[in-house]
Amino acid sequence: MTQQFYVSPEQLMKDRADFARKGIARGRSVVVISCEDGIALVAENPSPSLHKIGEIYDKIAFAAVGKYNEFESLRQAGVRYADVRGYSYDREDVTARGLASVYAQSLGAVFTAEQKPFEVELAVAEVGSTQAEDHLYRLTFDGSIADEHSFVVMGGQAERVSAAIDQGWRASLGFPEAVRLALNGLAPAPDAEEQAKPLPARALEIAVLYRHSEETRGTRRAFHRLNDADITALLA
């Protein structure tokens, strides 16, 4: 009779966490920034159809890094949760905090019970009527949830990007300035003798949750995704 190898729970959790972190770090970064006009969501993403940023409900958006099939299944589950809750109760009962709690439970259950954890990191953003009422939640692969302020950076070289954005962030930033700040952080680190090269529009995915705008007037929706022409005009 063969004897199974024993692995301590502490070592098992550590191995799973290291595995998930390595998978997330291989992805390109995503930045979510609260600004005067709303909440800007900026991702380095050359794919025109496999989105890292999406709309969940009226004033709630979703951003993710990691394995596409895993975070896309979570995004779809979040849309179903929001639709059912809004229909069963009231649209105002659908909040980013409630959605983040559901995501945290799902990620935590997979991390502890399944053999392989999700290689994803998520951000759930809800725009408020004022900047002080904006909500940014960051969720990691093990179900940990953090209530962030001002901005969230996930994936890739997150520490370097976060440090660059922290130096330039201020509450009075407009949407164009917030996007440029995010792109300055996302730009590859230059060599000693070269300047940092800006990312082309086709390599970017940009969306915004407008606080008040003609784009969303007359509707409940605050989410607006920019196409390549919009991004080029914005950065010109």
Side-chain angles (χ1 to χ4, degrees):
M1 180 177 178
T2 58
Q3 184 177 6
Q4 292 184 344
F5 289 103
Y6 172 75
V7 179
S8 66
E10 293 83 358
Q11 185 62 43
L12 182 62
M13 293 297 105
K14 181 180 182 300
D15 290 344
R16 289 179 177 177
D18 291 342
F19 173 81
R21 288 193 188 98
K22 289 179 181 178
I24 294 168
R26 285 194 293 267
R28 295 180 172 94
S29 298
V30 174
V31 179
V32 181
I33 301 182
S34 175
C35 59
E36 193 172 30
D37 298 327
I39 298 177
L41 303 99
V42 183
E44 185 182 353
N45 183 14
S47 173
S49 56
L50 303 179
H51 298 306
K52 293 182 177 181
I53 297 168
E55 181 182 21
I56 298 292
Y57 210 58
D58 296 342
K59 298 180 180 181
I60 302 174
F62 168 99
V65 293
K67 295 196 70 173
Y68 175 79
N69 64 314
E70 293 177 348
F71 68 68
E72 177 63 13
S73 67
L74 291 170
R75 186 194 67 82
Q76 293 177 9
V79 172
R80 289 193 295 268
Y81 161 83
D83 284 343
V84 171
R85 187 168 183 81
Y87 180 78
S88 301
Y89 300 96
D90 187 85
R91 299 185 77 92
E92 297 299 323
D93 292 328
V94 182
T95 63
R97 183 178 64 179
L99 182 63
S101 297
V102 172
Y103 280 148
Q105 294 173 23
S106 299
L107 288 169
V110 171
F111 182 75
T112 55
E114 300 295 333
Q115 188 172 6
K116 188 191 86 66
F118 275 2
E119 299 171 63
V120 298
E121 195 167 338
L122 312 178
V124 179
E126 179 179 5
V127 66
S129 56
T130 65
Q131 195 169 4
E133 296 175 347
D134 288 348
H135 295 288
L136 302 175
Y137 297 99
R138 179 177 182 173
L139 297 105
T140 53
F141 53 86
D142 60 353
S144 299
I145 180 172
D147 186 2
E148 301 285 354
H149 302 283
S150 307
F151 64 89
V152 176
V153 180
M154 306 178 295
Q157 298 179 339
E159 292 184 1
R160 180 186 65 81
V161 177
S162 182
I165 293 175
D166 187 45
Q167 292 179 356
W169 186 89
R170 60 186 188 278
S172 59
L173 285 175
F175 173 59
E177 290 80 15
V179 171
R180 293 190 187 98
L181 177 61
L183 294 182
N184 288 336
L186 290 174
D191 295 332
E193 299 178 355
E194 296 182 359
Q195 294 183 348
K197 296 181 180 180
L199 296 169
R202 64 180 181 277
L204 297 170
E205 182 183 358
I206 300 177
V208 57
L209 284 172
Y210 278 118
R211 204 178 311 284
H212 307 290
S213 173
E214 295 292 339
E215 295 281 352
T216 57
R217 181 162 296 179
T219 70
R220 300 176 185 269
R221 300 173 63 182
F223 183 87
H224 176 68
R225 186 186 302 279
L226 278 65
N227 57 34
D228 287 350
D230 295 333
I231 296 173
T232 301
L234 181 69
L235 302 179

